[in-house]
Amino acid sequence: MAVLEELARRCAFGDLAALARSGHAPRRIEGVAEFGHQLLQLDAEDFGVAHPSVPRALVDRARAVRVPQEPGETYRGALGSMRAGFRLLLEVIAVHWERRELGGVVAAAHIAAEYLTVLAWEPVLGHAADPARLPDRMKINGSRFGVAAENDRCAHTRGLVAACERSLRVAGDPPEGWRNYLDRQHTTVIKALSVCGFECRTPCSVVENLRADARATLAARCRLAREYSDGAFVRLRHAAPVGHGFGVPSEEEVLDAWGRSRRSLEKHALFRDEPEGAEFPIPDLPRAFSAVAGVPITPDTLLADVSAHIIGLLRA
């Protein structure tokens, strides 16, 4: 039993679920262990579909990170706010670091890079780039968002324009079309929002309608998000199995790459002015996310709480 508790403490949920299925661990932990494994793997589609043995409070917390799989779902989860998702990402990174799974650290860092701009736009949009609500903010007089005829005056490439145009009508698609958009084009729309935020030299009403101070803040946050995404820390993915190569970076290589990225972030007043937070395996990574979001983004305790619940079941 001590071995099983150690696996739970290390968040080795996949191993625990397999042991339960094979009869080498109590069957009562299987459903909870599978739930924890989904969280650790960031399998967000299934966060809201858990075994009845998983406490409701844990499922509800996970639903905040779930992406709706149909356009008309009432609860918007990660499309309502991306902040809970980034708190879970930080906890996932910390767990992978403790287990010396550097490939997992790099993969989570790359996921953060793809969605970080959403944190910058969330205070402006009132949601996390939810396609069901984007038209209310983007389909307005003077907007060139997703308008191909305005491409000569817009900084978006044709690919970005096409993705933005789709985002404004995908809420009327059947569930299959909605999921196809999320899989293939949503991150492209996020790139387009980054361009709108600080790169466009002829901004349309999407940005021009904002107060001057709000435009400046949005631009600063989008620049900081881009600095993180283009940095050496995120580029490590191209040398890992989750990317395009065959090697996994060492702990020293990860910290060195983050050190170089952090020095680049230090050039931005937004990052320098953000208060330092608690100690974290990748120093000041939560600080970078918080600076982009404009609110504190700290590691969640969801995995730790799943671990504690499993240990309680084992001891019972």
Side-chain angles (χ1 to χ4, degrees), residues 25 46 85-86 95 109 115 167 190 197 207 211 235 264 271 295-296 298:
D46 299 322
F86 271 83
V95 169
Y115 292 94
S167 74
I190 294 170
V207 172
R211 299 190 318 270
R235 289 201 306 271
S264 296
F271 179 78
V295 296
T298 56

Side-chain angles (χ1 to χ4, degrees), residues 23-24 31 53 68 75 77 81 102 150 171 184 186 201 224 232 236 238 240 249 261 267 281-282 297:
H24 293 88
S53 61
Y75 188 72
S81 175
L102 284 310
E150 299 286 353
R184 297 176 180 273
H186 191 56
R201 297 183 180 276
L224 188 62
L236 279 174
H238 299 290
S261 289
K267 299 174 184 176
I282 310 296
I297 302 292

Side-chain angles (χ1 to χ4, degrees), residues 78-293:
L79 294 180
S81 175
M82 193 62 70
R83 294 168 184 172
F86 271 83
R87 287 194 288 270
L88 179 60
L89 274 171
L90 286 171
E91 189 183 14
V92 166
I93 287 172
V95 169
H96 281 309
W97 182 268
E98 182 180 354
R99 292 166 54 167
R100 296 300 180 262
E101 296 169 346
L102 284 310
V105 172
V106 170
H110 186 269
I111 291 172
E114 291 197 316
Y115 292 94
L116 190 55
T117 296
V118 175
L119 286 184
W121 272 90
E122 196 169 313
V124 175
L125 297 173
H127 54 80
D130 184 350
R133 287 180 281 178
L134 275 178
D136 296 338
R137 183 65 182 77
M138 300 303 192
K139 209 170 182 178
I140 58 177
N141 289 335
S143 170
R144 296 193 291 273
F145 189 85
V147 181
E150 299 286 353
N151 201 34
D152 59 330
R153 300 169 58 200
C154 179
H156 289 165
T157 63
R158 290 184 179 179
L160 295 180
V161 170
C164 292
E165 189 275 332
R166 178 97 189 275
S167 74
L168 297 178
R169 57 180 172 82
V170 72
D173 283 3
E176 295 79 8
W178 171 265
R179 290 191 290 270
N180 178 272
Y181 162 81
L182 292 174
D183 289 341
R184 297 176 180 273
Q185 291 183 294
H186 191 56
T187 55
T188 304
V189 171
I190 294 170
K191 292 177 184 176
L193 289 172
S194 177
V195 173
C196 293
F198 79 100
E199 288 186 89
C200 186
R201 297 183 180 276
T202 56
C204 66
S205 59
V206 167
V207 172
E208 283 291 284
N209 285 355
L210 298 174
R211 299 190 318 270
D213 59 337
R215 288 201 304 271
T217 299
L218 176 64
R221 289 174 175 169
C222 286
R223 283 193 184 94
L224 188 62
R226 178 69 62 83
E227 191 77 63
Y228 168 84
S229 301
D230 289 346
F233 183 53
V234 174
R235 289 201 306 271
L236 279 174
R237 182 177 188 268
H238 299 290
V242 292
H244 308 286
F246 298 97
V248 177
S250 67
E251 185 175 319
E252 292 75 17
E253 288 172 325
V254 170
L255 289 176
D256 176 70
W258 171 245
R260 284 180 278 142
S261 289
R262 189 185 178 285
R263 286 192 290 275
S264 296
L265 296 174
E266 282 281 5
K267 299 174 184 176
H268 297 257
L270 202 66
F271 179 78
R272 295 195 304 271
D273 293 344
E274 183 69 26
E276 294 185 14
E279 185 178 347
F280 190 73
I282 310 296
D284 281 337
L285 184 60
R287 182 183 177 194
F289 294 165
S290 299
V292 173

